[in-house]
Amino acid sequence: MAARYYSPDDPESYVTPSRLKRLGRKKQVEHMVHWFHGMFEDPQNEMPYADKEDPGDSPYRYPWGGPYDANEQLQDEFSDVVPFDVIQEAVQEVQSDGTLEWAPGPRHPDQIAANEDAMAERYEAPPPPTLEDIQARLESGVRPSFGDDFERQERAALRHELAELRGLLAAELSQHGGMGHNHPPDHLSLTPELNSEATDAIDKMDAELAKDAPDIAVVAESAGTLKKVLGWIAGKLDKSVDGFMTTIGTAAAGAVVAELAGFPVAERLGSVYHATLTWLDSVTLPF
């Protein structure tokens, strides 16, 4: 989209570069000066003072970019549209109050980016709870709550994932004839023992989730079994268990999932584990 340069007299009125090129000299200067003051401001408005011990060349610090030079910025923006001597007239008007260094204003990309970063940092979501966090809540006497619409939806989604994982585990065991441990060391099929442990865990979990008031301790214990199996997979990949558990089964999996090509059980295990933690978190919130 072509740049828009708004009129100092009407905030709804603007001209494009091609239209600006055809305006008279006075109007060109007015639009350029208005554009500059929309993008830049006097540093004394918001910039912090420089350290007294190391003031440098400026009395201000510019944490969001700058200082900016009016001549450079106006030339960069308008040199292809407005004659040089007209730009110089705009520079003189901008600097007429003696200000030669400029800070980014509210509409400047540097200021916008800084504000967005600050907002993201302020409202950054807290890290998801760990299984240990959930177990600590239970040990402290937190009583779970069930039955609201959101909880029922989460539970239904989790049971659906459990059913898919059960099918993958059964297919893997059948495909490898119960001899997964005879494959080369870099093959990621679960051993029959681990396959059986994971299957038993999801069966216990699903049985509890079918109840009106599931036994949270049983669900948490089953999640612990899945975590153990995922830890075994992390070891096969030479990954740290903590890093692997943080990424597998989430949108951040990326390269980890690429290493698991041909081993859908692992990715589904991770997804079920994280979905279980999410459900456990929602029903054991301590308030």
Side-chain angles (χ1 to χ4, degrees):
M1 185 186 344
R4 295 180 176 184
Y5 303 111
Y6 287 84
S7 167
D9 303 318
D10 181 0
E12 301 297 324
S13 176
Y14 66 87
V15 296
T16 61
S18 60
R19 173 63 179 151
L20 180 63
K21 184 181 294 188
R22 297 194 297 271
L23 291 180
R25 184 185 188 101
K26 181 180 178 181
K27 286 295 184 181
Q28 288 178 330
V29 171
E30 288 178 356
H31 277 81
M32 286 189 289
V33 171
H34 186 65
W35 170 86
F36 185 88
H37 285 305
M39 296 292 286
F40 304 93
E41 64 182 21
D42 191 322
Q44 70 178 339
N45 292 352
E46 289 193 39
M47 296 301 101
Y49 286 104
D51 297 332
K52 293 181 179 179
E53 293 79 7
D54 184 22
D57 297 328
S58 174
Y60 300 100
R61 288 189 291 111
Y62 294 84
W64 306 318
Y68 295 98
D69 176 77
N71 184 45
E72 290 181 0
Q73 298 305 315
L74 287 165
Q75 294 265 16
D76 287 346
E77 184 70 19
F78 297 104
S79 60
D80 293 336
V81 180
V82 179
F84 176 80
D85 61 316
V86 181
I87 294 175
Q88 293 306 300
E89 186 174 334
V91 172
Q92 291 175 11
E93 183 167 339
V94 164
Q95 297 179 340
S96 60
D97 66 352
T99 304
L100 301 180
E101 291 186 348
W102 298 86
R107 291 171 52 193
H108 193 282
D110 290 347
Q111 181 80 291
I112 292 172
N115 290 335
E116 289 176 347
D117 289 344
M119 290 291 287
E121 183 176 343
R122 180 177 179 182
Y123 294 106
E124 184 176 357
T130 64
L131 182 59
E132 291 71 25
D133 293 332
I134 301 294
Q135 291 168 330
R137 290 180 193 173
L138 297 176
E139 291 170 3
S140 70
V142 169
R143 300 185 63 178
S145 59
F146 310 106
D148 62 74
D149 289 342
F150 180 73
E151 185 274 325
R152 285 195 293 267
Q153 291 173 8
E154 278 196 327
R155 196 195 304 196
L158 176 54
R159 293 193 68 193
H160 179 74
E161 289 209 48
L162 288 172
E164 291 188 347
L165 176 57
R166 184 186 292 109
L168 289 173
L169 287 167
E172 181 186 78
L173 194 61
S174 174
Q175 177 182 355
H176 297 294
M179 298 296 289
H181 59 291
N182 287 336
H183 284 269
D186 61 347
H187 191 81
L188 289 175
S189 293
L190 297 181
T191 65
E193 294 77 15
L194 285 174
N195 188 302
S196 177
E197 285 189 54
T199 300
D200 288 345
I202 63 175
D203 285 344
K204 289 179 181 178
M205 190 185 303
D206 194 43
E208 290 302 323
L209 294 173
K211 301 176 182 177
D212 291 337
D215 187 330
I216 295 296
V218 172
V219 177
E221 181 182 358
S222 298
T225 300
L226 299 186
K227 181 178 180 180
K228 169 190 168 183
V229 177
L230 287 165
W232 178 87
I233 296 170
K236 297 286 282 185
L237 292 172
D238 293 325
K239 305 283 186 184
S240 71
V241 175
D242 288 343
F244 184 78
M245 295 299 294
T246 300
T247 57
I248 186 64
T250 70
V256 173
V257 173
E259 294 184 59
L260 298 176
F263 189 31
V265 165
E267 188 178 358
R268 180 60 61 183
L269 268 169
S271 180
V272 166
Y273 178 74
H274 283 286
T276 304
L277 288 188
T278 299
W279 180 78
L280 286 169
D281 179 44
S282 68
V283 299
T284 60
L285 289 173
F287 51 79

